[in-house]
Amino acid sequence: MKAVIVCASVSHGNTKRIADAMGQVLEASVVAPEQADMAELSTCDLVGFGSGIFLGKFHPQLRRFVGSLPQGDRRRAFVFATSGLPEPRFRPFTRPLVRVLEQKGWEVSDAFSCRGFDTWLPFKLAGGINKGRPGVTDLEAARTFAERLRARIGAVS
C-alpha cells in the first residue's frame, strides 16, 4: 500500500508528532502542503490530511491545499487533527474538511483527533493547556488508528 500524509503543523509540532506516528505504521512520508506532489497523491492508495485546529477550523494552509485538489476518481483519504479543546460532538471540526474532500471525489475512510499543547490566547496567559500532549497515550492511539486503516485499506486494495 502506498500512502502519503499531508500535514500542516505550525505551532508546537503537535500535529507533526501525530503524523509521524501514523506515518511509521503506514510506511508513509509526511509532507507539508507546499511540498506535496499532486502527481504522487494521485498514485497513492491512501492520503492523510491533518493540521492543528485554529478557532475551530483546520489551518488555512491545509484548507487552501485541499481546496486546490483537482476533481478525481474515488481515492481514499483520512483526516486528523490536534486541538487544545476537545472536538465537539454536535459540530466536529473534522466534518468541513471531510465534506470538501468528498466533493473532490475522495472517499474519506475515517477521522482522528486528539488534544495538543495549546498556547492560543487566552490560554497563553496561563502558560498554555494540555502540556505534554500529545503524549505517549495519544501517540499510541494514533498508531492504533493507522493500523486499523492499513488493515481496512489493505483488505480492499
Side-chain angles (χ1 to χ4, degrees):
M1 178 179 78
K2 183 176 180 185
V4 170
I5 298 174
V6 180
C7 172
S9 184
V10 298
S11 294
H12 303 289
N14 298 330
T15 312
K16 176 80 164 68
R17 290 177 56 210
I18 293 295
D20 287 341
M22 292 177 179
Q24 289 172 343
V25 171
L26 298 171
E27 298 178 16
S29 58
V30 176
V31 297
E34 66 273 9
Q35 298 169 325
D37 178 356
M38 294 286 190
E40 181 183 11
L41 295 185
S42 68
T43 67
C44 290
D45 300 302
L46 181 66
V47 180
F49 298 94
S51 80
I53 298 298
F54 300 85
L55 297 173
K57 298 178 182 176
F58 281 88
H59 192 275
Q61 185 181 30
L62 183 68
R63 293 194 327 260
R64 279 191 303 273
F65 177 78
V66 169
S68 74
L69 292 170
Q71 284 294 125
D73 299 328
R74 297 296 275 174
R75 293 161 286 168
R76 289 186 184 90
F78 67 94
V79 298
F80 64 99
T82 58
S83 176
L85 298 174
E87 185 170 25
R89 291 183 190 194
F90 62 90
R91 187 174 170 242
F93 42 66
T94 53
R95 189 180 304 152
L97 191 66
V98 168
R99 285 186 182 147
V100 172
L101 286 165
E102 289 174 343
Q103 290 169 356
K104 298 277 185 175
W106 292 81
E107 179 184 327
V108 180
S109 298
D110 211 344
F112 175 88
S113 66
C114 71
R115 305 289 285 278
F117 180 54
D118 190 348
T119 55
W120 181 76
L121 282 172
F123 306 131
K124 186 175 188 172
L125 299 173
I129 59 172
N130 301 316
K131 292 178 183 173
R133 299 226 25 216
V136 173
T137 304
D138 300 307
L139 296 172
E140 187 55 39
R143 283 189 281 275
T144 300
F145 172 83
E147 287 166 1
R148 284 195 309 263
L149 277 175
R150 184 180 65 196
R152 194 171 339 136
I153 302 304
V156 175
S157 296

